[in-house]
Amino acid sequence: MESSFFQYGDVEINGLIQADAVLGEAIGHIGKIERAVMPDLFEALIYAVIGQVISVKAARSAWIRLQNVLDVITPADVAASTPDMIQTCGITMKKAQCIHRIAQRITNHEIELDDLRLLPDEIVIERLTSFEGIGRWTAEMLLLHSLQRPDIVSWGDIAIRRGMMKLYGMDSLSKKQFDYYKQRYSPFGSVASIYLWEISNG
């Protein structure tokens, strides 16, 4: 699995510091975060599906087991396997079937993942959610962790919401409040998300 880190620097950091003093102070305390990304779109999509509604640790464990079973995680290799084989990696049957269908649709050229690189965020989300088993959160994780789009803050991500609540000392968070902060972070929402994840886990 090829991996690298989300690319950002002074422009994004200074933009967030100017936009939100509270987040800016947290960024100053935390320092630069290296957030791993997965440049391979298919690998990133499968990893996002595995990570639905489970811990990062559990997702990583299942991913490693899948790598050990298949050796190389490509659409052709996954399509040639079976949902039963995928399930043995610690993945639910529902997710295993979803992963297998995704691989089949890609090998059948029903969707070209590389085409997503040139499309706007919302169109990418629309294309990806046409797959059964892929919702908006999964698509947003692909946008951030593979395509490295700059302005992704996911309401569907529990850790991001928890990080926002911890940052601002809130006991609850409405969608309206979330959207207010999301707008403040724009156009550097993805870097804000990286810090909110860190704050959530801190």
Side-chain angles (χ1 to χ4, degrees), residues 41-170:
L41 280 168
F42 181 71
E43 286 189 351
L45 182 56
I46 299 310
Y47 189 82
V49 171
I50 290 171
Q52 293 170 353
V53 205
I54 62 173
S55 70
V56 172
K57 184 178 179 180
R60 184 68 185 169
S61 175
W63 175 256
I64 291 170
R65 289 170 70 179
L66 185 63
Q67 286 181 308
N68 290 337
V69 168
L70 295 181
D71 189 32
V72 181
I73 298 176
T74 66
D77 288 309
V78 176
S81 71
T82 65
D84 287 334
M85 185 186 299
I86 296 167
Q87 187 190 24
T88 64
C89 300
I91 299 166
T92 67
M93 179 52 77
K94 185 176 181 181
K95 286 184 184 179
Q97 290 171 337
C98 173
I99 288 166
H100 193 250
R101 281 195 300 268
I102 289 169
Q104 287 182 319
R105 286 187 64 182
I106 292 169
T107 55
N108 291 337
H109 302 290
E110 293 177 41
I111 187 170
E112 300 291 341
L113 286 182
D114 281 335
D115 290 350
L116 302 179
R117 297 184 188 278
L118 302 175
L119 298 174
D121 294 351
E122 286 301 324
I123 302 301
V124 172
I125 291 169
E126 184 181 302
R127 294 280 181 91
L128 289 173
T129 53
S130 71
F131 286 107
E132 184 181 349
I134 295 181
R136 187 177 182 90
W137 175 85
T138 305
E140 287 172 332
M141 293 305 100
L142 189 81
L143 284 167
L144 197 157
H145 289 126
S146 188
L147 294 172
Q148 296 197 55
R149 295 296 172 86
D151 201 18
I152 303 300
V153 187
S154 178
W155 167 253
D157 193 288
I158 294 172
I160 286 179
R161 298 203 308 269
R162 185 171 61 234
M164 198 177 281
M165 289 166 62
K166 285 179 68 173
L167 178 64
Y168 300 109
M170 304 164 74

Side-chain angles (χ1 to χ4, degrees), residues 2-23:
E2 181 187 0
S3 65
S4 57
F5 299 104
F6 191 94
Q7 297 300 301
Y8 70 98
D10 291 343
V11 171
E12 293 82 1
I13 291 296
N14 291 333
L16 289 171
I17 289 171
Q18 291 172 13
D20 191 288
V22 178
L23 178 59

